[in-house]
Amino acid sequence: MSHAVPHNSVKHYFAELWSAVSTTVRGMWITFRYVWGVKIVTVEYPEVRIVLPERARMRLFNDAQNCISCTQCALACPVDCIYIASEKYPEGTELKKASNGTPIRLHLTQFVIDTALCCYCGLCTTVCPTECLTHSHDYEFSQYTIDGMKYDYLAPDVIAWRDRIVKA
Amino acid sequence: MLDTIAAGINAAVPGANAQVLNAEDAKCDGSVLVEAAHIHAVAAHLKASGTMNVLQCITGVDYTEYLEVVYVMAKFDLAAPAQLLLKVRVTDRVNGAVDSIVDLYPAANFQERECWDMLGVRFNNHPDHRRILCPDDWEGFPLRKDYITQKDYRGMQVYPEGKMNMGDREFIVRQDMIKKAQEAAAGKVQ
Amino acid sequence: MQNKWDIDGHAEPHTVNAETEKMKSDLLTLNMGPQHPATHGVLRVEIKTDSEIVAHAIPHLGYLHRCMEKHSENLDYRGVIPFVDRLDYLASMSMEWTYVAAVEKMLGTEVPRRAELLRIMTVELQRIASHLMAFGTYALDLGSFSPFLYAFDEREKILRLFEEVSGARLLYNYIWIGGVWNDWTDEQLQRVGDFCDAFEPETDKYHALVSVNKIFLKRTVDVGILSVQDCFDYGATGPVLRGSGYQWDLRRNMPYSLYPEFEFDVPVGTGEHGTVGDCWNRYIVRMREVKESLKIIRQVLKKIEPGSVMGKVPKVLKLPKGEVYVRHECPRGELGIHLVSEGGDSKEPYRLKVKSPCFTHVSMLPLMAPGQMVADFVATIGSIDIVLGEVDR
C-alpha cells in the first residue's frame, strides 16, 4: 500500500499532531510575511510595458531599400517562411548601393515573411550580409485571419513608416 | 573494448556472427553487428555476463538496402562505465521481424513500439505491439526514406492547400534551381 | 508488486464466498485525459480503477508528436538547433548542448575555453530554472499555490538574464556549433553572481515551506517506490535513478567538456524521510541539485577569462560518414543524441534520433501505478518530472 502503517499509540498520535501543527506554522510564518513586507513584482500590463533587452527576438523587420536579394535568409530559415522574388535590372541602369557598399544588382519584387510560421530563432538575421533583416521589439501583432500574418515588406505603408524612422 | 565484447558474444552464442564495425573516421563511434535471428540470445548473454546492464534506446536507420535496428546499451557501473551500439540488419522491408527483448530488458517495451511505428520493423512476442507516437490507424512508416504522407486521415486532409503555403515553399526551391541553372549557363558560355 | 486485478477489468474481492461473488465489481476505466492540469502536458493515461485504487495505468502518447526527427533530415546542421530547442522546452540549453556536442564530436572542432565555460554556466543556470519549475508545479499538483509563485519569481530572474544574452526567454538558439552565439559582458556575469548570492537563502525557504511540511510528507513519502534494479531494467536515469539511491551522474561518472575541473557533490536519495526510491527522495534530489549547480556557477565565475566565444567552423558543414551517440546529463535525465551522417557532400543529418529520458520514465508508470490511489498517482507523475515535448518529440 502507499502509506506507512500507522502505529496505534497515543504517543504516536500526539507526535504526529505536533509535527503537523509545527510544520504548518513554520510554512505559514514564511507566507504571512508576504502579506505586507514584499515589493509587488507584478507588471500591470498593458498599462505598463517592460522594456525589452536590446537583443530580444520579436517580429522581424526587413529594410527593403537595403536588401540585395541574396536569399541567404530564405535558405537559412529552418521553417521556410521567407518568400523572396527578384528580377534583374535592365542593362545600363545605374545601381544604387546598399548600406554596406555592395551595389544592388537585383530588383526585389516580393519579400514576404509568414510570421505565423516563423519560429523567431534569428538564424536569418545572422546571415544577412547588409544587416537589413533585424528583429524588432514588436510582440503585439495578432491578426484575425491567418493570411494576415504574412507580412509584406514592400507594401507602401511599411516603406513610408520605414522612411520615417530609418535615417538614410 | 568492442573486440572483447564481440569475442564474448561469439563464444556464448554460436551463430551470432558478431563483427566489429569500426568507424571509417576516428571521431565517430564503432559498433558491433550481430545476426538478426540471434538477438535474443545475444541480449541474454550481455545481461547474464554483466557486460551491459541497461538498455537505453532502440533506434533504427533506413539504409535503402536494409533497415538497421540499433540497440544502444550501457553499463551503469560506478567503477567501469561503458556504452555499446549493437546493430542488427533487417533486409525484408515488408515483413521484417526481430525477436523482442522485453522479457530481458523491460525498457524495450516503449522503444520497440517506437521502432515499429517509425520504421515498420516487427518485434515477435512483444506484449503490446501497436503504434506509440502516430495515431493507431496511421498508414505508412514515417522515418523510412521512401515514405510519402497519406493524403487523408479519417476524412481530414493531411496537408490542406490553404494552410500549407506549398506554392510559396516550392517557390524558394525553384529560385535556388533557377540561380544554379543561370550560373551553369554563364559558366558554359565563358 | 502482485497485481490482483486482471487485465480484462475484473477486481477480485478479498474473500471469496457466495456473498462476495455477488459483489464482484468491474474496473472503472478513467481517462486521465490529454487535458489535465496535473499531467504536465498532453499525456493521456488510461487508468482502470477499483473504486479509489488504480489497478492498471496505460499511458497513450503521441499528442505532441511533431516528427522532429523527420524534419531534421531536411535541415542543415545549424537549422536543427531551433528544433532541438523545442524538445524539452523547459531545459533548452541542455538540449542544444547535447546536439551540438554530437556534431562537434564528428567534426572535431575545438571550442574555445571561454565558450565552454559559458556553456557550463548557462546549462547549470538552466538546470536551476528547470528544477524550480519542477518544484513549483509539483507543489501545485499537490495543492499548494504559494511555492509555485515563489519559484517562478526566481525563475523569472534567470529567464531575464537569458533574454538579455540570447534574445529569447525559453527557446534560446544560443549554443551554436563551435561555441555560443553572443558573449556575456562583465556586468552581466556580475549579475549572475548576485543572483546566486540572493537565491541561496531562498532554497532554505523552499525547504522549510514544502520539503518538511507534514502534508507534503504524507503525500509523497512511500509513494511510487522504485528500486535500483527497476531503474536499470527500465533505463531510468537522472534524478529518478539518484532518488533510488544509485549515485550515477554523467558529469561525474562519464565526464564531458570541462566538468572534471569542477568540484560538486552528487546528491542521492538517502531515505531521510520515507524509503529510498519514493517520490519524496526524487524530489529532494532535485532540490539538493540546485545547490550543487550554484556551486558550479560560482566556480565558473571565478575561472572565466576573456577570449573568443566561437571557434573555427566552416561555413558549410559537412560531416564525415559515420555515427555518434552522445549522452549528456540534462535536468530530467540523460539525453542521448544518435546522429548518423552519410558523409560526402550531404549538408543534412541522415538520421537524428533523440533518446529522451522522459520517454523511458513514462514507461515506468504502468510499473508504479498498481495499488496506488488516484491522488498518489498524481504525486507519482509529478515526481518523475516529464515534459511532453521530449516524450513525443
Side-chain angles (χ1 to χ4, degrees):
Chain A
M1 283 310 288
S2 319
H3 300 284
V5 175
H7 307 300
N8 286 324
S9 73
V10 175
K11 182 170 171 205
H12 183 79
Y13 173 78
F14 280 106
E16 291 268 287
L17 187 64
W18 169 247
S19 88
V21 172
S22 68
T23 54
T24 312
V25 165
R26 197 170 158 197
M28 293 198 78
W29 179 241
I30 295 172
T31 48
F32 197 67
R33 280 185 275 137
Y34 276 75
V35 177
W36 288 287
V38 180
K39 190 167 86 79
I40 296 176
V41 292
T42 312
V43 173
E44 285 139 353
Y45 179 86
E47 285 87 21
V48 178
R49 283 189 171 81
I50 301 179
V51 174
L52 290 174
E54 200 194 309
R55 286 184 185 146
R57 304 199 298 254
M58 303 293 156
R59 180 158 65 103
L60 286 163
F61 179 67
N62 177 262
D63 183 8
Q65 316 275 53
N66 271 323
C67 177
I68 60 172
S69 315
C70 62
T71 69
Q72 285 298 317
C73 53
L75 292 168
C77 178
V79 288
D80 296 331
C81 69
I82 305 183
Y83 312 132
I84 301 179
S86 55
E87 55 192 27
K88 269 186 123 91
Y89 279 114
E91 285 287 326
T93 33
E94 200 187 310
L95 298 172
K96 285 190 226 131
K97 286 213 160 64
S99 58
N100 69 344
T102 34
I104 302 179
R105 283 178 212 283
L106 294 166
H107 174 53
L108 187 66
T109 51
Q110 181 196 25
F111 192 102
V112 172
I113 296 186
D114 191 346
T115 53
L117 284 177
C118 175
C119 65
Y120 304 96
C121 61
L123 287 171
C124 54
T125 57
T126 50
V127 293
C128 179
T130 54
E131 291 199 18
C132 62
L133 189 58
T134 52
H135 280 283
S136 65
H137 287 182
D138 180 20
Y139 49 89
E140 292 152 323
F141 52 91
S142 48
Q143 304 286 325
Y144 284 106
T145 57
I146 207 154
D147 284 327
M149 297 294 277
K150 288 199 182 119
Y151 273 76
D152 181 5
Y153 289 96
L154 293 170
D157 47 344
V158 177
I159 302 272
W161 176 65
R162 177 257 174 207
D163 285 337
R164 265 186 286 131
I165 60 163
V166 175
K167 314 253 182 295
Chain B
M1 205 240 337
L2 290 175
D3 295 314
T4 35
I5 296 180
I9 296 176
N10 278 328
V13 185
N17 264 343
Q19 25 167 300
V20 174
L21 297 175
N22 281 313
E24 284 168 22
D25 189 307
K27 301 182 290 250
C28 302
D29 287 347
S31 50
V32 174
L33 174 68
V34 292
E35 291 289 328
H38 296 267
I39 184 66
H40 192 267
V42 171
H45 156 75
L46 287 173
K47 185 163 189 186
S49 64
T51 322
M52 294 286 149
N53 58 358
V54 174
L55 172 71
Q56 290 222 299
C57 178
I58 299 179
T59 93
V61 191
D62 183 7
Y63 297 106
T64 30
E65 298 106 45
Y66 51 85
L67 295 166
E68 193 170 75
V69 181
V70 181
Y71 294 77
V72 181
M73 316 202 87
K75 183 158 157 82
F76 276 42
D77 183 346
L78 295 170
Q83 184 177 301
L84 170 71
L85 291 172
L86 186 68
K87 291 189 179 180
V88 153
R89 288 190 185 160
V90 176
T91 38
D92 186 350
R93 287 173 80 90
V94 181
N95 289 322
V98 167
D99 282 334
S100 166
I101 57 173
V102 172
D103 46 339
L104 297 163
Y105 295 100
N109 195 327
F110 272 32
Q111 302 286 346
E112 287 174 350
R113 279 177 65 186
E114 190 187 337
C115 201
W116 158 246
D117 188 4
M118 293 286 131
L119 284 152
V121 177
R122 271 174 226 278
F123 289 88
N124 304 325
N125 306 323
H126 191 279
D128 192 10
H129 201 290
R130 59 190 164 100
R131 287 181 183 267
I132 189 166
L133 294 173
C134 292
D136 286 333
D137 47 357
W138 194 256
E139 289 155 18
F141 301 110
L143 281 169
R144 288 199 178 179
K145 293 294 177 188
D146 53 2
Y147 172 69
I148 300 175
T149 320
Q150 62 200 69
K151 289 227 157 28
D152 262 296
Y153 174 65
R154 291 199 192 181
M156 298 181 276
Q157 256 188 312
V158 174
Y159 279 141
E161 278 299 320
K163 289 195 169 175
M164 289 314 292
N165 297 319
M166 277 310 195
D168 288 326
R169 282 168 186 237
E170 286 162 30
F171 183 72
I172 296 165
V173 176
R174 261 187 278 134
Q175 290 296 91
D176 209 22
M177 281 165 42
I178 292 171
K179 191 171 168 182
K180 282 205 180 83
Q182 284 173 340
E183 282 164 9
K188 275 210 195 103
V189 164
Q190 277 169 3
Chain C
M1 255 177 276
Q2 226 185 350
N3 202 335
K4 65 181 194 290
W5 301 277
D6 77 66
I7 193 79
D8 277 337
H10 302 289
E12 266 179 22
H14 295 275
T15 49
V16 184
N17 57 36
E19 179 141 354
T20 57
E21 279 291 297
K22 280 186 269 172
M23 292 186 334
K24 233 185 196 168
S25 59
D26 284 335
L27 296 174
L28 171 71
T29 306
L30 204 59
N31 254 332
M32 203 161 151
Q35 292 161 321
H36 194 284
T39 53
H40 293 263
V42 275
L43 172 68
R44 174 173 155 227
V45 188
E46 197 186 319
I47 312 179
K48 291 191 170 28
T49 64
D50 170 19
S51 59
E52 185 68 17
I53 301 174
V54 176
H56 304 284
I58 303 155
H60 293 271
L61 309 173
Y63 286 89
L64 196 51
H65 181 56
R66 297 158 289 180
C67 338
M68 169 254 178
E69 298 174 356
K70 184 78 180 176
H71 272 291
S72 47
E73 293 176 12
N74 293 327
L75 294 167
D76 70 64
Y77 293 96
R78 291 192 182 93
V80 175
I81 298 177
F83 279 69
V84 171
D85 261 345
R86 284 153 172 80
L87 283 173
D88 176 359
Y89 35 80
L90 302 171
S92 298
M93 293 286 190
S94 311
M95 305 286 117
E96 288 174 18
W97 196 14
T98 317
Y99 167 72
V100 166
V103 177
E104 287 174 350
K105 186 168 173 197
M106 284 181 91
L107 274 177
T109 39
E110 242 194 73
V111 182
R113 188 177 160 84
R114 186 178 167 94
E116 277 295 353
L117 286 171
L118 284 176
R119 282 178 180 182
I120 292 180
M121 185 181 80
T122 41
V123 164
E124 294 304 323
L125 272 174
Q126 179 74 87
R127 197 182 304 270
I128 296 177
S130 171
H131 283 324
L132 278 174
M133 165 68 112
F135 158 73
T137 50
Y138 194 37
L140 189 65
D141 286 347
L142 299 178
S144 59
F145 199 76
S146 305
F148 173 70
L149 293 173
Y150 301 164
F152 269 59
D153 190 11
E154 296 303 318
R155 185 172 169 261
E156 187 68 24
K157 297 184 181 133
I158 300 179
L159 261 45
R160 284 209 191 156
L161 269 168
F162 280 163
E163 193 180 14
E164 276 186 37
V165 173
S166 75
R169 283 162 52 94
L170 211 59
L171 304 164
Y172 313 105
N173 192 14
Y174 178 65
I175 297 184
W176 277 7
I177 297 167
V180 293
W181 186 357
N182 294 316
D183 201 355
W184 292 62
T185 61
D186 287 331
E187 190 259 331
Q188 284 164 342
L189 291 173
Q190 177 63 40
R191 272 195 280 144
V192 173
D194 295 339
F195 166 77
C196 291
D197 294 332
F199 180 62
E200 197 132 24
E202 296 285 314
T203 51
D204 300 324
K205 190 163 84 174
Y206 303 148
H207 189 80
L209 192 54
V210 180
S211 315
V212 293
N213 188 291
K214 191 68 185 168
I215 304 173
F216 187 76
L217 287 174
K218 276 284 187 190
R219 283 211 63 181
T220 52
V221 156
D222 289 337
V223 170
I225 299 176
L226 285 171
S227 65
V228 178
Q229 190 52 46
D230 279 335
C231 289
F232 285 166
D233 282 340
Y234 281 81
T237 51
V240 176
L241 180 60
R242 289 195 282 279
S244 298
Y246 196 72
Q247 201 175 32
W248 175 268
D249 187 331
L250 276 182
R251 299 172 291 169
R252 175 57 49 79
N253 299 102
M254 288 177 81
Y256 49 89
S257 174
L258 297 172
Y259 276 112
E261 290 178 21
F262 291 91
E263 281 178 33
F264 59 98
D265 296 317
V266 176
V268 275
T270 50
E272 200 181 304
H273 286 274
T275 47
V276 175
D278 66 4
C279 290
W280 192 85
N281 281 287
R282 290 194 280 274
Y283 157 84
I284 205 67
V285 161
R286 290 194 183 100
M287 300 313 288
R288 294 194 174 135
E289 268 179 16
V290 168
K291 285 206 148 100
E292 303 303 324
S293 291
L294 286 171
K295 265 193 219 163
I296 298 179
I297 296 173
R298 288 203 174 102
Q299 290 172 49
V300 169
L301 291 172
K302 283 209 196 79
K303 285 179 200 269
I304 199 145
E305 48 204 33
S308 94
V309 289
M310 184 55 100
K312 269 188 147 6
V313 182
K315 246 193 147 170
V316 178
L317 292 168
K318 294 199 177 137
L319 266 56
K321 184 166 157 107
E323 60 186 345
V324 280
Y325 185 77
V326 168
R327 296 149 75 177
H328 272 211
E329 184 76 28
C330 295
R332 290 181 169 76
E334 272 179 28
L335 183 77
I337 295 266
H338 181 233
L339 181 62
V340 179
S341 159
E342 87 183 317
D345 261 342
S346 86
K347 289 181 273 170
E348 296 110 25
Y350 188 75
R351 170 86 165 97
L352 174 71
K353 160 77 181 167
V354 176
K355 176 263 175 191
S356 143
C358 297
F359 188 66
T360 39
H361 296 165
V362 168
S363 72
M364 298 177 92
L365 286 177
L367 172 73
M368 292 194 276
Q372 291 186 330
M373 289 194 256
V374 178
D376 293 334
F377 190 57
V378 169
T380 311
I381 296 183
S383 77
I384 57 177
D385 193 15
I386 49 179
V387 168
L388 267 295
E390 200 177 34
V391 172
D392 287 342
R393 279 156 274 140

